[in-house]
Amino acid sequence: MAQLYYKYGTMNSGKTIEILKVAHNYEEQGKGVVIMTSALDTRDGFGVVSSRIGMKREAIAIDEETDIFGYIDGMTEKPYCVLIDEAQFLSRHHVYDLARVVDELGVPVMAFGLKNDFRNELFEGSKYLLLLADKIDEVKTICQYCSKKAIMVLRTNNNQPVYEGEQIQIGGNESYIPVCRKHYFNPVLEKKENQ
């Protein structure tokens, strides 16, 4: 029975590695998958799913106009699974499309993304995935500064914490740090410089 999965975690929790691993496992068994990602994330190129350890795959880029349901429904051979990276950047209608892929086409969907932004607010895609997903799992990692579980993302600029601004600013380790609640409110950024 197909289900809509939402796997969320902070930066550096291994979400993209998980997507690439799942895709590999399906394909090794001769089962086709569709990999999609947000068109907003162009750090390693347009329509590329890329992990920090260097693994990458081409993917279908999702922009505001993308009809995910129509795309999957129009395929001559239905995939065994649809894998979505950077799912936090999806719009409400995209998430409803994913639910339709599961419910009407019987194709499992695994969406991976951040839950909350640097202001500690939900992204639109995350909000609707939390509302609609059949199964929700956390991909865990530890705080940059201690051994507690990282549950927030701290944006930095010139080694200073940033708590206000535009929700979406594409970046990696140069801009974002996975942190626990304590270090979100009381970061020790100078420690990072000396490491």
Side-chain angles (χ1 to χ4, degrees), residues 170-184:
I170 304 301
N173 294 337
E174 77 287 350
S175 302
Y176 296 101
I177 301 169
V179 292
C180 65
R181 183 178 51 247
K182 174 184 173 182
H183 288 112
Y184 175 81

Side-chain angles (χ1 to χ4, degrees), residues 23-39:
H24 173 77
N25 289 342
Y26 270 103
E27 291 168 341
E28 196 169 51
Q29 297 175 15
K31 298 174 180 173
V33 300
V34 170
I35 301 176
M36 305 178 108
T37 189
S38 170

Side-chain angles (χ1 to χ4, degrees), residues 105-177:
L105 303 178
V107 176
V109 173
M110 297 177 76
F112 294 77
L114 300 171
K115 181 181 69 172
N116 39 313
D117 66 15
F118 77 102
R119 299 173 301 187
N120 206 30
E121 296 177 11
L122 292 175
F123 285 95
E124 182 176 351
S126 305
K127 173 184 174 181
Y128 288 101
L129 281 161
L130 289 167
L131 290 170
L132 295 180
D134 298 299
K135 291 196 176 177
I136 300 168
D137 290 317
E138 182 179 18
V139 183
K140 297 177 181 130
T141 194
I142 59 170
C143 175
Q144 179 89 21
Y145 303 109
C146 69
S147 59
K148 289 182 182 177
K149 182 174 77 167
I151 60 170
M152 298 179 181
V153 176
L154 180 66
R155 182 186 284 177
T156 63
N157 185 14
N158 294 322
N159 206 36
Q160 294 299 311
V162 177
Y163 298 103
E164 295 179 4
E166 291 295 317
Q167 183 179 49
I168 298 173
Q169 175 186 306
I170 304 301
N173 294 337
E174 77 287 350
S175 302
Y176 296 101
I177 301 169

Side-chain angles (χ1 to χ4, degrees), residues 20-77:
L20 298 172
K21 180 180 83 173
V22 169
H24 173 77
N25 289 342
Y26 270 103
E27 291 168 341
E28 196 169 51
Q29 297 175 15
K31 298 174 180 173
V33 300
V34 170
I35 301 176
M36 305 178 108
T37 189
S38 170
L40 295 177
D41 187 358
T42 58
R43 286 175 291 172
D44 286 320
F46 184 75
V48 175
V49 170
S50 178
S51 73
R52 286 180 174 72
I53 65 167
M55 297 171 60
K56 60 175 75 175
R57 292 266 312 252
E58 287 188 17
I60 295 152
I62 302 169
D63 62 24
E64 189 58 31
E65 305 302 317
T66 303
D67 177 1
I68 298 171
F69 178 82
Y71 180 83
I72 302 299
D73 189 39
M75 296 178 71
T76 41
E77 191 172 322

